[in-house]
């Protein structure tokens, strides 16, 4: 999420499911959502994603809308990128097909219907460090609840440095109109459409950032993790009155389910 200019730079399911704050220190203490976060390479670009069944990963539409399937690689089971000392190995997959939402549209503000589903080139074998995430119910509302955004994106706005270790922040889901008012108080006129959601704090401090695009905003309920949002856009990172903008998965879950079950 680029601090410069009036337009946001991008930060940056069968339902089988069982500035950053935290750098989780040890294998035994890691929260079990990290095994649902995918690391996606699109040529020289990087995005995040979420495994939703043995063949499919959900990511942001803007990450892959201009890519061909052969340009995309998906790595699962990574925690520290390119590390040779992790107890369990990461696995890299090719992509057979890219399905971008039919209503996806690049815009000067946050992109519309910013979601895509990647079909992997072979089935995923679930392991202790590789597991699918659940999808929410259609129209489900998470207002006022807390989610976790995870990724390998920048630790501060404008930084070209990227952490090797997966990072995560806890952020509250806020009302769309409130999100618009906060931005407007900073001179930013942005429309948060129904298929979007905002998560963050009035004072900033915690947020997703450049390189986190496509990654999950997750919530745990009754022992299961749900994909409630997808990192989409934002005006800078962790700035006062400028919370992150996410795609609202509950608005397009019918389409996602159709694709992954086809």
């Amino acid at each position: 999420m680029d601090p410069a200019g009036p337009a946001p730079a991008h930060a940056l399911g069968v339902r089988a499911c069982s500035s950053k704050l935290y750098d989780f220190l040890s294998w035994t203490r890691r929260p079990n959502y990290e095994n649902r976060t995918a690391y996606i390479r699109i040529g020289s670009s990087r995005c995040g994603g979420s495994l939703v069944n043995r063949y499919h990963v959900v990511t942001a539409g803007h990450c892959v809308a201009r890519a061909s399937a052969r340009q995309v690689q998906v790595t699962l089971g990574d925690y520290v990128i390119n590390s040779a000392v992790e107890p369990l190995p990461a696995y890299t997959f090719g992509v057979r097909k890219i399905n971008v939402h039919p209503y996806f549209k690049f815009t000067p503000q946050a992109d519309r219907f910013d979601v895509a589903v990647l079909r992997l080139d072979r089935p995923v074998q679930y392991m202790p460090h590789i597991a699918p995430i659940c999808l929410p119910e259609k129209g489900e509302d998470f207002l006022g609840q807390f989610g976790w955004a995870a990724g390998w994106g920048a630790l501060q706005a404008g930084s070209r440095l990227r952490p090797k270790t997966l990072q995560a922040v806890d952020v509250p889901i806020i009302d769309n109109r409130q999100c618009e008012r906060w931005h407007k108080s900073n001179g930013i006129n942005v429309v948060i459409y129904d298929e979007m959601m905002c998560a963050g704090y009035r004072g900033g401090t915690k947020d997703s950032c450049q390189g986190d695009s496509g990654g999950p905003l997750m919530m745990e309920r009754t022992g299961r993790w749900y994909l409630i949002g997808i990192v989409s856009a934002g005006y800078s990172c962790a700035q006062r009155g400028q919370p992150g903008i996410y795609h609202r998965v509950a608005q397009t879950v019918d389409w996602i389910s159709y694709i992954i079950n086809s």
Side-chain angles (χ1 to χ4, degrees):
M1 303 180 189
D2 195 330
H10 298 103
L12 32 191
V14 181
R15 294 192 190 178
C17 61
S18 56
S19 93
K20 293 296 192 312
L21 177 65
Y22 298 108
D23 175 347
F24 294 102
L25 299 179
S26 72
W27 176 262
T28 56
R29 293 181 61 196
R30 292 184 205 176
N32 66 0
Y33 60 72
E34 63 88 14
N35 57 10
R36 293 153 172 82
T37 306
Y39 181 67
I40 302 174
R41 298 176 181 86
I42 311 99
S44 60
S45 299
R46 304 289 185 267
C47 277
S50 302
L51 181 68
V52 291
N53 67 13
R54 293 189 187 276
Y55 277 100
H56 295 94
V57 168
V58 173
T59 188
H62 76 263
C63 287
V64 294
R66 292 173 174 155
S68 64
R70 67 176 180 272
Q71 292 177 293
V72 184
Q73 286 190 322
V74 177
T75 300
L76 299 171
D78 235 348
Y79 178 64
V80 181
I81 297 171
N82 298 325
S83 170
V85 297
E86 292 202 69
L88 294 173
Y91 296 87
T92 297
F93 298 78
V95 170
R96 180 170 295 177
K97 186 177 182 181
I98 298 172
N99 297 277
V100 178
H101 195 280
Y103 294 158
F104 169 78
K105 182 181 180 181
F106 286 110
T107 79
Q109 298 187 350
D111 293 334
R112 301 296 309 273
F113 292 91
D114 194 13
V115 57
V117 179
L118 308 179
R119 166 85 179 190
L120 303 178
D121 63 356
R122 64 187 192 277
V124 175
Q125 299 301 312
Y126 298 153
M127 301 180 185
H129 66 313
I130 299 176
I133 194 168
C134 299
L135 295 174
E137 295 296 325
K138 177 71 174 179
E140 197 167 0
D141 186 9
F142 302 97
L143 181 64
Q145 300 181 62
F146 279 76
W148 288 87
W152 290 271
L155 300 181
Q156 59 185 25
S159 173
R160 294 186 178 183
L161 298 176
R162 299 290 185 269
K164 288 184 176 292
T165 303
L166 182 65
Q167 308 288 307
V169 290
D170 58 323
V171 285
I173 288 78
I174 63 174
D175 178 73
N176 283 13
R177 304 290 81 79
Q178 181 70 67
C179 185
E180 291 174 348
R181 289 193 292 270
W182 284 3
H183 279 87
K184 190 170 184 179
S185 69
N186 286 352
I188 300 168
N189 291 312
V190 60
V191 178
I192 308 299
Y193 292 95
D194 289 346
E195 83 279 2
M196 303 173 187
M197 63 194 298
C198 294
Y201 299 87
R202 181 71 176 92
T205 70
K206 300 179 187 179
D207 200 1
S208 49
C209 205
Q210 297 110 326
D212 289 325
S213 280
L217 178 65
M218 300 169 280
M219 178 180 294
E220 184 183 19
R221 288 191 314 200
T222 63
R224 290 186 174 184
W225 285 90
Y226 289 83
L227 179 66
I228 66 171
I230 298 168
V231 180
S232 179
Y235 293 80
S236 190
C237 311
Q239 296 298 304
R240 180 175 178 82
Q242 296 167 203
I245 302 170
Y246 298 79
H247 174 72
R248 187 186 297 269
V249 174
Q251 285 291 111
T252 54
V253 67
D254 287 351
W255 175 80
I256 295 170
S257 296
Y258 171 77
I259 294 296
I260 68 178
N261 291 309
S262 296

